[in-house]
């Protein structure tokens, strides 16, 4: 987990484009003796919008860690009308995984977690079926079974949200969780719920995308990781990838082959989120280097 | 152009699945002293449908070339209720390219043609704008300008079809031809019109798919080559491929990057069609080895 | 695990190319009332060598299961000078995984195994370090620690081979096992040891391929699964794949990114081996459909 | 060709890493009223080396165009010990293409050029065989035949270099030019000769890489574009890509399939070079956004 990596401050910014934004931000860090270890910026020339992610070492920085936000707000963000978010690399996020019956995405996340590749805590896994309890148990993670029916959905979601609060969950990963979340639930976690959909959206929205793909006779299948928004399968896309299929493939073999793409595309999105490399603007993502 | 390759008979078959089809077909060729140089078969277990492509050398085959079809019909196809198509590798297909203003797909096809990679004749290129006349002239191919308006569409299509007849055209390639063909035109060339659509269908059907892709914030763009059917962008898919994009990409850069995928995916489809490696069944393609 | 799939006989054949081989084999199956569910064949026109894999349902076949081999030998293989191998889909292979310290390939295999995707038994995992004992324990699989030094190598390999015999191991998967096997060991398992090498061979043979890749400044990294032969990293390649890297990547990030390719490419090879879809000829593989 | 795009200054920098480099460069542009349209920077933490590309609009910039270099040298480069290169987007580079007998890469470059996608002048194409004269003629570009033998190589290279000088050539593209350039020639154009090699280097250096790939039984073939250095096929890699092959492929079909990868990978490198997005350091490239 690179425990010897120096602690960094990670600042993500967006603002209307205007001259000198990079110079002002980097000058702020430089004047306060900050050592920049990564910087990526991007200007959307259509939307006239500026995006930036800059990461610098906390040690030796002239401003106290808990004062940096206020100082940046006063010196730069207010005059430049910026929105921003400041994180520190040693703030370990707390992640909840929600699952149904399929294990491949869950295993891929837990294998990375156990192998020290995901810098998060996973205090809880929530399933709407009991099948994945055994996988959670293999990794010693608490599993909570919350069966959802049409009748009890509101009540069960309230219980889920209580569990999120109790476990101080920062973000939620739907690892092939086959339930549609209510708008209330989604609104409670804006840009904090990551879903994997088993098609290259916007193709094959909704149920059974591999069956749809088979019916259409496509030569590629794929997967899309995205932040969940109120409109089904329409949130900001984080990552996508594909795998080639042929006329030999059936819905069954597509489901099998697709698993490899799904798990990789979901895990990459989770890694980008954890590294604070994502930023959402107008239902799209900027994915920083 | 591999002019030293022996002339082959190419037989494509489909039938309801039943025991012993491969044995019967291969036995027919074997008994008549045919040397099989390629064989590929596939059974769609969902549709209970059998597909086969077999290619054997004409020289030394016991049945006269112009009698093979009748003999096969009598001995195998009739008892087994097969549909089939027989071609010979020295039957050079005649191809018409239809274009509008963009040159990348046209150049890619003509470069392959000129380089001896496409075993076809291209007697004519038809454009609805004059821009591509110069490219046709570079390659010494007759260019016919047929401007289409709402008012003259039926008349102009009649003229196009007359040109197809006059030039004994076997199949048509729409190399970014930005007109929608009438149903009458399409019905006249079933599974003989190949189009390139600049998205991975069924995503982004219709106009300006890169603008749609940009608006949706996808991380992949792509292209689809397909046979044209009456429903727009809904015909049997021959090939698809993708290229990765990021938040840096605009509709303009997507158009630029997409050209490379479009031209390759279209040319691959044309090559498969020329090699008689495609077979259409229920709005899907079987692409033989 | 598709337990409802009918039991099939799987026949893999190679022979010098000669007329009528497909007809003879399919006729043999057809005459004995076999229902072919898959057939793939290939003729290497350079080497004049014929390869075929055919799979048919055991139920209803006119020859008793334990007589098929002898009958095929007599009727077809002897007159045609074929080499062949006959398997049955209900013969569950026994697989041994050998590991060192890295968990990603091991987890990927075990996740598939636990998810019912790998139709094998895994009675034992052998490690030359103790780190993977915990992963084996998570899945309830016996782990044997066999530490290898220069001095004890012959003795330890003898112990490994005894474990293979005791556990009736059919094939061995080196899931990032960082030891070089002796020629004696390799000769004992011809085309039965699958290794994953973390480069697209033949690039970057030997140690630390990602460091080599970084030093060379490549824009792609990859992985290769192959059968192990006496020459290091030079055995028949089963599968390969790549992932894009940029100047931003360090050996450390290449190692991280490469894990995803390694595990997928290894698991695909294991699946092909289990499905009896591989055949080795002159240090290359034929991978059947 | 986006003739309406504003003229920009493009500055590429490298220096030993030190605090505040980004701030100093962006402050220099900002203070002089420059509007930055693109910025990309990268720090190689292994080599402690800093790289940056920044592009800003010339119009409205406070320093005269022909004074920018001197001003930057004085204010920033000298105190920070930077190496740098300054270009302007309206300086149209002059490119020479060198060819042998194969047309695919040449056609791909000329099709882009003719389609307005390559912002260069191509005053001359040099061939060591006459085959490509016809292609040059199709595009109205002067073709010079310079046949090279062992005996006349020095003399012929002198003639080539005279042609480069006469035509004020800025950089050279070897579009499958099958001759090895002398060290004297290479030293005259450092990081200004782009070659395409038909393998994913460092695999299959030297002659007939597809035959080598076939012999090794690989499952992927590819291409590499790189700057030419004195060691054969060992220069800084600009781009690489691959295409999947199977046991069905022969050296002949690999050559055919490989053409598509070669031409795309070469053209992408040419585009990056023209856009001044490449920078060479220690035999590697930084490819800026």
């Amino acid at each position: 987990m690179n425990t010897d990596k120096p602690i960094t401050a990670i600042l993500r910014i967006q603002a209307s484009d205007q001259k000198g934004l990079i110079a002002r931000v980097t000058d702020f860090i430089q004047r306060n003796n900050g050592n920049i270890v990564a910087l990526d910026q991007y200007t959307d020339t259509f939307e006239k919008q500026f995006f930036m992610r800059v990461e610098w070492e906390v040690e030796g920085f002239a401003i106290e860690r808990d004062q940096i936000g206020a100082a940046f707000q006063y010196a730069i963000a207010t005059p430049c009308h910026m929105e921003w978010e400041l994180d520190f690399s040693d703030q370990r996020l707390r992640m909840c995984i929600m699952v149904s019956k399929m294990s491949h995405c869950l295993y891929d996340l837990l294998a990375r977690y156990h192998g020290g590749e995901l810098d998060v805590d996973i205090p809880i896994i929530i399933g709407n079926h009991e099948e994945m309890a055994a996988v959670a148990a293999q990794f010693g993670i608490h599993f909570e079974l919350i069966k959802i029916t049409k009748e009890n959905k509101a009540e069960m979601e309230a219980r889920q949200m209580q569990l999120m609060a109790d476990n101080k969950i920062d973000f939620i990963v739907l690892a092939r969780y086959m339930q549609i979340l209510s708008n209330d639930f989604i609104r409670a976690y804006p840009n904090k719920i990551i879903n994997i959909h088993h098609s290259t959206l916007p193709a094959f929205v909704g149920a059974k995308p591999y069956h749809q793909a088979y019916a259409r006779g496509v030569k590629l299948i794929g997967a899309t990781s995205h932040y969940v928004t109120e409109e089904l399968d329409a949130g900001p896309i984080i990552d996508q990838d594909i795998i080639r299929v042929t006329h030999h493939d059936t819905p069954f073999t597509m489901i099998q082959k697709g698993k490899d793409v799904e798990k990789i595309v979901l895990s990459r999105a989770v890694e980008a989120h954890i590294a604070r490399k994502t930023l959402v603007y107008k239902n799209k993502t900027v994915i920083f280097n």
Side-chain angles (χ1 to χ4, degrees), chain A residues 43-113:
Chain A
T43 303
D44 185 325
T45 51
F46 272 43
E47 303 279 358
K48 311 282 181 210
Q49 195 74 7
F50 171 83
F51 305 92
M52 184 171 178
R53 180 187 184 278
V54 59
E55 186 173 355
W56 70 95
E57 293 178 15
V58 166
E59 197 176 315
F61 196 57
I63 307 174
E64 284 300 302
R65 182 168 160 156
D66 59 357
Q67 302 298 316
I68 297 173
F72 182 75
Q73 181 67 50
Y74 174 78
I76 313 288
T78 298
C80 297
H81 305 284
M82 284 174 176
E83 288 177 63
W84 56 276
E85 191 175 339
L86 179 67
D87 295 282
F88 295 92
S89 64
D90 59 349
Q91 291 166 327
R92 207 170 159 86
L93 293 178
R94 293 172 68 81
M95 164 172 136
C96 173
I97 306 177
M98 296 178 77
V99 291
S100 291
K101 294 179 178 179
M102 298 185 84
S103 64
H104 57 290
C105 287
L106 179 60
Y107 265 129
D108 201 64
L109 288 166
L110 295 181
R112 286 166 201 261
Y113 173 63

Side-chain angles (χ1 to χ4, degrees), chain A residues 237-256:
Chain A
I237 293 171
I238 305 170
D239 199 8
Q240 300 187 291
D241 216 334
I242 57 100
I243 194 167
R244 200 162 274 280
V245 292
T246 74
H247 58 270
H248 285 281
D249 284 290
T250 62
F252 177 76
T253 64
M254 287 184 183
I255 288 169
Q256 287 307 107

Side-chain angles (χ1 to χ4, degrees), chain A residues 4 13 19 33 35 46 48 66 73 124 132 134 146 160 179 197 208 215 235 237 254 289:
Chain A
D4 53 342
I13 297 166
K19 273 191 192 174
N33 204 34
N35 187 34
F46 272 43
K48 311 282 181 210
D66 59 357
Q73 181 67 50
I124 186 168
M132 289 303 104
I146 302 186
Q160 289 172 340
Q179 288 284 324
H197 185 76
K208 292 193 174 288
I237 293 171
M254 287 184 183
N289 278 331

